[in-house]
Amino acid sequence: MRAVRMTAPGVLEHTEVPTPQAGPGEVLLRVGAVGACHSDLHILDAPAGVFPIPMTLGHEIAGTVDTVGPGVDGWSPGDRAAVYGIIGCGRCRACLRGEENRCRVIPVGGIGLSRDGGLAEYVVVPASRLLPVGDMDLTQAAPLTDAGLTPYHAVDLARPRLRPGTSCVVIGIGGLGHMGLQILLATTAVRIIAVDTNTAALDLAGRLGAHHSVQAGPDAVEKIRELVGPAPDGADVVLDFVGAQPTLDTARQVVATGGQILLVGLAGGTLPVRPVADEPPPVPLETGVVVPFWGTRAELHEVIALARDGRLHADVHTFPLAEAPQAYEALRRGEVRGRAVIVP
Ligand code: NAD
Ligand code: ZN
Ligand code: ZN
């Protein structure tokens, strides 16, 4: 079969590999669509030894069951499914609670992270990772599994602070951010301030229903402050889907005293939190900082329900498998709006 694999750090190749077979408890899925997540660029940029090489990338997968391995109940060839990408140990207290995104044994284990992913014609996944999507378009279903699930989980962590009339600053209206906006609109009654460097991303935010848009830049903090109030007042919640130094600096300068920063993006910035006597604190007092990771299977079920009810829709741009490397280059250059989705 054809697959797009990381064959060396930074190198993505469209190549031929043997079609894998489903083992006990596994399913061979014919990939219908796979989202190009910015995390794949971080994986490509990681030094040798951090991720397996060679490895087929792609952790945002939807497809159709081709064959089922021994011992698989409840799934048959032809069934359509989204893939929950995390594979926890299944035995620790977090996994037993259904919080595999907090597994205490395998912190970042998953399909397309620690074993072959979905940028291929077929992928083998444990049957327990499949969730039914009914007749949903698979290019819509794939982004739900990460670009939808991760902001859904982050919003849920912030939910106690997201009361009606509060304000939420959303930084980075890309794959995750544009879904996060819709999740906020569908599940909370907050005022949303969208922030991005890119005017096309801000246009998308406006079309999706963001109440205010602010272009990232030197005067962004001042503009956001005009909308959320002067310190010690400010934004109740800041969702940072970028995580670069300028966005983290914006986050800490606009969050309210007692507010919360959710650091979802992995762009490598640093958020200082330690207060020093006689200096202005780097974050307001009582600020909560959370570092969300992906989400749970139950949350993915809820995300799929939102989408099937028409309240969550990915802005999708499709690419054939052979053009996946170009799709990632476009993502790196910041040229993708919404989500690039590869259709093998
Ligand atoms: P994306 O490239 O689709 O979107 C990023 C958006 O941020 C773009 O709209 C871009 O214009 C904007 N942006 C870039 N720099 C900015 C700046 N300085 N200020 C304001 N906006 C800026 O990326 P994505 O796929 O949505 O992923 C976003 C981040 O989230 C990545 O770092 C990714 O690795 C990370 N991620 C984390 C998790 C998790 O579980 N924590 C899960 C998935 C992705
Ligand atoms: Zn991802
Ligand atoms: Zn575990």
Side-chain angles (χ1 to χ4, degrees):
M1 65 171 186
R2 294 174 300 117
V4 172
R5 315 196 85 200
M6 173 168 70
T7 52
V11 181
L12 204 53
E13 272 186 71
H14 182 236
T15 172
E16 282 284 332
V17 291
T19 304
Q21 288 192 345
E26 293 179 332
V27 160
L28 180 69
L29 199 71
R30 185 151 47 79
V31 178
V34 54
C37 179
H38 207 112
S39 296
D40 293 324
L41 297 177
H42 300 316
I43 293 173
L44 280 165
D45 292 344
V50 178
F51 294 97
I53 290 179
M55 177 172 69
T56 303
L57 291 186
H59 54 266
E60 222 178 67
I61 309 165
T64 308
V65 174
D66 184 83
T67 49
V68 299
V72 171
D73 284 330
W75 291 97
S76 311
D79 288 346
R80 305 166 87 257
V83 177
Y84 175 72
I86 301 177
I87 302 179
C89 76
R91 291 178 200 159
C92 74
R93 192 148 48 91
C95 283
L96 291 173
R97 290 174 60 94
E99 297 172 341
E100 286 166 275
N101 57 327
R102 295 178 176 174
C103 178
R104 309 243 176 139
V105 180
I106 310 172
V108 195
I111 297 154
L113 299 174
S114 55
R115 57 187 269 170
D116 281 339
L119 274 176
E121 291 177 81
Y122 296 90
V123 62
V124 167
V125 301
S128 59
R129 306 299 92 180
L130 297 183
L131 279 89
V133 295
D135 59 2
M136 184 186 293
D137 183 340
L138 294 179
T139 63
Q140 279 295 316
L144 299 178
T145 63
D146 181 10
L149 175 58
T150 301
Y152 187 86
H153 174 66
V155 167
D156 215 54
L157 292 173
R159 195 168 300 283
R161 285 181 167 86
L162 294 172
R163 304 186 60 77
T166 57
S167 55
C168 181
V169 172
V170 182
I171 307 177
I173 314 299
L176 271 65
H178 91 293
M179 302 292 269
L181 270 183
Q182 298 174 65
I183 289 162
L184 284 167
L185 287 164
T187 70
T188 75
V190 299
R191 188 151 50 94
I192 301 168
I193 297 118
V195 182
D196 204 294
T197 39
N198 187 296
T199 47
L202 291 176
D203 289 346
L204 176 60
R207 283 201 299 283
L208 292 171
H211 303 98
H212 304 277
S213 290
V214 173
Q215 177 119 34
D219 56 352
V221 168
E222 197 182 319
K223 285 186 182 157
I224 297 167
R225 280 246 160 261
E226 282 168 17
L227 297 165
V228 297
D233 201 359
D236 297 275
V237 171
V238 181
L239 286 165
D240 186 348
F241 290 115
V242 182
Q245 199 56 53
T247 64
L248 294 175
D249 286 338
T250 299
R252 67 187 180 83
Q253 289 176 77
V254 302
V255 71
T257 293
Q260 192 172 41
I261 299 172
L262 292 104
L263 233 171
V264 181
L266 308 169
T270 300
L271 180 70
V273 293
R274 181 169 56 97
V276 179
D278 302 334
E279 283 180 26
V283 290
L285 297 172
E286 293 281 324
T287 300
V289 177
V290 187
V291 188
F293 178 59
W294 224 331
T296 68
R297 264 189 292 177
E299 286 169 332
L300 180 54
H301 193 279
E302 293 165 11
V303 169
I304 292 169
L306 266 185
R308 293 193 70 181
D309 285 347
R311 284 179 283 177
L312 180 60
H313 182 90
D315 194 58
V316 163
H317 307 275
T318 58
F319 293 80
L321 187 63
E323 285 174 25
Q326 288 91 314
Y328 281 101
E329 282 318 308
L331 185 66
R332 200 187 279 287
R333 289 192 301 267
E335 290 168 9
V336 175
R337 296 282 64 80
R339 199 50 136 190
V341 171
I342 286 109
V343 178

